[in-house]
């Protein structure tokens, strides 16, 4: 992401703009930039979550919805944001180890999924 101005520069510009109309326009630009950054971050997070969902689908042949439920369950039981759980799971493809609490909860969630399918 390339940001044209830093937050401190934006604050300085807001204070030095001569007219109210220009100040309102600059304020809107600052707000739109912040929203754009949030959307870019959401897109990156979504891609990682989708990759992790695919990994769960491969580990325990299941639907996309069930894989989503596993990730959400893992997130809730570990008290870690879903995007961070997904990131940790995807990082295992790059020779990183899944933290032990997540490993334990993932095994539990996959066993529950397997048992539910057997009923």
């Amino acid at each position: 992401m390339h940001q044209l101005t830093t937050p401190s520069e934006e604050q300085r510009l807001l204070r030095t703009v001569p007219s109210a109309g220009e100040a309102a326009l600059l304020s809107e630009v600052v707000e739109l930039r912040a929203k754009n950054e949030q959307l870019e971050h959401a897109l990156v997070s979504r891609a990682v979550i989708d990759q992790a969902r695919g990994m769960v689908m491969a580990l325990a042949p299941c639907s996309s919805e069930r894989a989503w439920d596993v990730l959400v369950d893992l997130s809730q039981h570990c008290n870690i944001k879903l995007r961070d759980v997904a990131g940790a799971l995807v990082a295992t493809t790059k020779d990183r180890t899944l933290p032990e609490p997540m490993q334990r909860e993932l095994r539990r969630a996959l066993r529950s999924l397997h048992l539910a399918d057997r009923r």
Side-chain angles (χ1 to χ4, degrees), residues 53 56-57 60-70 113 117:
R53 187 188 283 196
V56 171
M57 291 168 66
C62 63
S63 68
S64 179
E65 293 79 20
R66 304 268 319 255
W68 173 263
D69 292 341
V70 167
L113 185 64
D117 285 343

Coordinates of all heavy atoms in Angstrom, one line a residue, residues 53 56-57 60-70 113 117:
R53 N -9.5 -22.1 4.8 CA -10.7 -22.9 4.6 C -10.4 -24.1 3.6 O -10.9 -25.2 3.9 CB -11.8 -22.0 4.0 CG -13.2 -22.7 4.0 CD -14.2 -21.9 3.2 NE -14.7 -20.8 4.0 CZ -15.8 -20.1 3.7 NH1 -16.5 -20.4 2.6 NH2 -16.2 -19.2 4.5
V56 N -8.6 -26.8 5.4 CA -9.4 -27.6 6.3 C -10.3 -28.6 5.5 O -10.4 -29.7 5.8 CB -10.4 -26.7 7.2 CG1 -11.4 -27.5 7.9 CG2 -9.5 -25.9 8.2
M57 N -10.7 -28.1 4.3 CA -11.5 -29.0 3.4 C -10.7 -30.2 2.9 O -11.2 -31.2 2.7 CB -12.0 -28.2 2.2 CG -13.1 -27.1 2.6 SD -13.5 -25.9 1.3 CE -14.2 -27.0 0.1
A60 N -10.0 -32.6 6.2 CA -11.2 -33.4 6.6 C -12.2 -33.2 5.6 O -13.0 -32.3 5.7 CB -11.7 -32.9 8.0
P61 N -12.2 -34.0 4.5 CA -13.1 -33.7 3.4 C -14.5 -33.3 3.9 O -15.2 -34.0 4.6 CB -13.2 -35.1 2.7 CG -11.8 -35.7 3.0 CD -11.5 -35.3 4.4
C62 N -14.8 -32.0 3.7 CA -16.0 -31.4 4.1 C -16.4 -30.3 3.2 O -15.6 -29.9 2.4 CB -15.9 -31.0 5.6 SG -14.7 -29.6 5.8
S63 N -17.6 -29.7 3.4 CA -18.0 -28.6 2.6 C -17.3 -27.3 3.0 O -16.7 -27.3 4.1 CB -19.5 -28.4 2.7 OG -19.8 -28.0 4.1
S64 N -17.4 -26.3 2.2 CA -16.8 -25.0 2.5 C -17.4 -24.4 3.8 O -16.8 -23.8 4.6 CB -17.0 -24.1 1.4 OG -16.5 -22.8 1.6
E65 N -18.7 -24.7 4.0 CA -19.4 -24.1 5.2 C -18.9 -24.8 6.4 O -18.7 -24.2 7.5 CB -21.0 -24.3 5.0 CG -21.6 -23.5 3.9 CD -21.4 -24.1 2.5 OE1 -21.1 -25.3 2.4 OE2 -21.5 -23.3 1.6
R66 N -18.7 -26.1 6.3 CA -18.3 -26.9 7.5 C -16.8 -26.4 7.8 O -16.5 -26.3 9.0 CB -18.3 -28.4 7.3 CG -19.7 -28.9 6.9 CD -20.6 -29.4 8.0 NE -20.2 -30.2 9.1 CZ -20.3 -31.5 9.2 NH1 -20.9 -32.2 8.3 NH2 -20.0 -32.1 10.4
A67 N -16.0 -26.2 6.8 CA -14.6 -25.7 7.0 C -14.7 -24.4 7.7 O -13.9 -24.1 8.6 CB -13.9 -25.7 5.7
W68 N -15.6 -23.5 7.3 CA -15.7 -22.2 7.9 C -16.1 -22.4 9.4 O -15.5 -21.7 10.2 CB -16.8 -21.4 7.2 CG -17.2 -20.1 7.9 CD1 -18.2 -19.9 8.7 CD2 -16.5 -18.9 7.8 NE1 -18.2 -18.6 9.1 CE2 -17.1 -17.9 8.6 CE3 -15.3 -18.5 7.0 CZ2 -16.7 -16.6 8.7 CZ3 -14.9 -17.2 7.2 CH2 -15.6 -16.3 8.0
D69 N -17.0 -23.3 9.7 CA -17.4 -23.5 11.1 C -16.2 -24.0 11.9 O -16.1 -23.6 13.1 CB -18.5 -24.5 11.1 CG -19.8 -24.0 10.6 OD1 -20.0 -22.8 10.5 OD2 -20.7 -24.8 10.2
V70 N -15.4 -24.8 11.3 CA -14.2 -25.3 12.0 C -13.2 -24.2 12.4 O -12.7 -24.0 13.5 CB -13.4 -26.4 11.2 CG1 -12.0 -26.7 11.8 CG2 -14.2 -27.7 11.2
L113 N -15.9 -33.0 13.8 CA -16.4 -33.0 12.5 C -16.5 -34.4 11.9 O -17.5 -34.8 11.4 CB -15.5 -32.1 11.6 CG -15.9 -31.9 10.1 CD1 -17.2 -31.1 10.1 CD2 -14.8 -31.2 9.4
D117 N -20.0 -36.6 11.0 CA -20.2 -37.2 9.7 C -20.6 -38.7 9.8 O -21.2 -39.2 9.0 CB -19.0 -37.0 8.8 CG -18.8 -35.6 8.3 OD1 -19.8 -34.9 8.4 OD2 -17.7 -35.3 7.9

